[in-house]
Amino acid sequence: GCCWGGSCDRPWAITFTNEEANRLTGVPLNVPLHPAQIYEAVVNAVLAFALYRLFLRKPPAGTVIGLYLVLYSVARFIIEFFRFHAQELPFGLPFSNTQWIALAMAAGGVLILARYRKPVAAPIHG
């Protein structure tokens, strides 16, 4: 029940009914919510599959972790728009603490990818 989604009127909305979930986490009961936990699980499964396949191809050092940081961070940033946030949004902007962390992680991933990117050899003319 933690990190539940915001209100949802889509057919795939989930509704918590367990009083213990409400007591432990505060999740609202009997209200259709975005299944944010499922969104994240699906993203992680797809990333794990794709990055493992890439790993098997022996990419340059730093590629897999750099791509993971960028791709997961982008996905998490987007998923956060569908989550309920009890805390106040920092800096008076429309992003949650988690979204700011995701932006920093994505920047770290870009730095890793840039650091380990192999330069393309110039064609030899002649």
Side-chain angles (χ1 to χ4, degrees), residues 32-105:
L33 303 171
H34 278 282
Q37 303 97 322
I38 296 172
Y39 296 163
E40 189 160 354
V42 169
V43 164
N44 278 312
V46 169
L47 283 178
F49 177 77
L51 292 174
Y52 182 70
R53 287 183 52 103
L54 175 63
F55 171 78
L56 293 176
R57 293 175 52 204
K58 308 269 192 249
T63 301
V64 174
I65 188 65
L67 278 175
Y68 172 75
L69 288 171
V70 170
L71 296 174
Y72 175 75
S73 296
V74 168
R76 182 64 188 257
F77 186 88
I78 293 167
I79 291 168
E80 283 296 308
F81 285 113
F82 297 99
R83 281 211 163 124
F84 169 79
H85 297 282
Q87 79 269 20
E88 196 171 307
L89 300 178
F91 311 118
L93 296 173
F95 301 147
S96 69
N97 290 328
T98 306
Q99 286 172 309
W100 287 108
I101 293 167
L103 289 172
M105 285 178 51

Side-chain angles (χ1 to χ4, degrees), residues 8-28:
C8 180
D9 60 359
R10 304 286 184 200
W12 57 82
I14 58 170
T15 303
F16 290 91
T17 58
N18 186 318
E19 303 243 351
E20 187 70 7
N22 174 265
R23 188 181 71 70
L24 290 172
T25 66
V27 65

